Amino acid sequence: MKDDGNCIVYHNEEDIILNISNQYDVFFNFTHMTPNWRIGNMKTDDREELIRRIVEEDTQALNLARNITVGELVRRYGDFHSDKGFSQEDYESYLLNCYVDG
């Protein structure tokens, strides 16, 4: 993975599924419900802008994800001595969240 030049960028498939917090914050279902992954707020944000962010997948975290490779994530956050078991996809998500939420 340390030589992987790809970026981890999640996308909606045919259906867009959203999670709504008890504070009306909106998140994609493929993310963590933390500030950088937040799309917006149903009560306070302009409806058209919220729809645009959803359709264009425009969140701070996804914009960050487009600009860092798996190899760079591994170099910054990977633990080469760890014996924890992850699937590669779960590990990539973990590394990306270290970067986005760090």
Side-chain angles (χ1 to χ4, degrees), residues 19-86:
N19 292 329
I20 312 296
S21 77
N22 62 349
Q23 300 293 314
Y24 301 97
D25 289 325
V26 181
F27 302 87
F28 291 113
N29 72 316
F30 53 73
T31 64
H32 228 34
M33 292 175 77
T34 58
N36 287 330
W37 288 102
R38 182 178 169 271
I39 299 166
N41 185 279
M42 291 177 64
K43 283 196 168 195
T44 60
D45 290 341
D46 174 71
R47 194 173 308 187
E48 294 299 317
E49 176 62 11
L50 192 57
I51 291 168
R52 185 199 65 76
R53 289 183 204 151
I54 291 167
V55 171
E56 295 180 12
E57 298 176 339
D58 182 10
T59 66
Q60 183 173 350
L62 287 173
N63 292 329
L64 288 169
R66 289 179 184 99
N67 293 297
I68 191 163
T69 66
V70 171
E72 182 62 25
L73 291 170
V74 167
R75 284 188 286 285
R76 288 187 189 190
Y77 306 107
D79 180 354
F80 294 94
H81 302 290
S82 176
D83 59 0
K84 294 179 182 174
F86 283 96

